[in-house]
Amino acid sequence: DVQLQASGGGLVQTGGSLRLSCAASGFTFDDKVISWFRQAPGKEREGISCISDRFVSTYYADSVKGRFTISRDNAKNSVFLQMSDLKPEDTAVYYCAADRSIILSQWRNVHEYDYWGQGTQVTVSS
């Protein structure tokens, strides 16, 4: 049974930090590309960060560079997103997504991914 579940969201003040987790099961994890997306009310889902397979290349949207860090622990079948210096504009539902053999130049394209987890809400107060 394929499962991909995001967790760790919550309410935080501007400038605070949160760590999101994405736990995977039911498929081979270490050869998958894993990405984080977020979707604010009334807006399209946007790619935030991406981490490749066992070779661990990482990618970030300009809006989060220097503030967010993606990592993975293949032994635990998990990917993490450490978020710091959070801003009100970071408020959104955050999703993790997975696939294999995507075109990495298109990592921010929602349609590149076959596997999606449930979202976790991040709210940053002003």
Side-chain angles (χ1 to χ4, degrees), residues 17 23 26 52 85 98 104 109 112 121-122:
S17 299
S52 66
D85 192 24
L104 287 175
N109 188 342
E112 292 288 329
Q121 175 72 48
V122 172

Side-chain angles (χ1 to χ4, degrees), residues 21 26 43 56 73 75-76 89 93 101 106 112 119:
S21 298
K43 295 187 177 181
V56 195
D73 186 338
K76 297 180 179 179
E89 53 263 41
V93 177
S101 192
Q106 298 292 316
E112 292 288 329

Side-chain angles (χ1 to χ4, degrees), residues 77-93:
N77 288 348
S78 296
V79 167
F80 307 97
L81 186 68
Q82 180 66 48
M83 306 184 294
S84 62
D85 192 24
L86 284 162
K87 306 176 185 297
E89 53 263 41
D90 295 318
T91 295
V93 177

Side-chain angles (χ1 to χ4, degrees), residues 9-99:
L11 175 64
V12 65
Q13 296 183 63
T14 296
S17 299
L18 283 173
R19 189 180 76 160
L20 305 184
S21 298
C22 178
S25 63
F27 61 92
T28 303
F29 179 80
D30 60 359
D31 64 353
K32 299 297 191 297
V33 173
I34 311 294
S35 293
W36 287 95
F37 288 76
R38 67 185 182 189
Q39 187 166 23
K43 295 187 177 181
E44 294 184 348
R45 193 168 298 185
E46 62 174 345
I48 299 303
S49 188
C50 176
I51 189 163
S52 66
D53 58 17
R54 60 177 63 84
F55 301 105
V56 195
S57 297
T58 60
Y59 307 87
Y60 297 93
D62 288 343
S63 59
V64 305
K65 284 181 180 177
R67 299 190 298 121
F68 292 10
T69 301
I70 191 170
S71 62
R72 68 192 294 163
D73 186 338
N74 288 333
K76 297 180 179 179
N77 288 348
S78 296
V79 167
F80 307 97
L81 186 68
Q82 180 66 48
M83 306 184 294
S84 62
D85 192 24
L86 284 162
K87 306 176 185 297
E89 53 263 41
D90 295 318
T91 295
V93 177
Y94 284 69
Y95 302 87
C96 57
D99 211 329

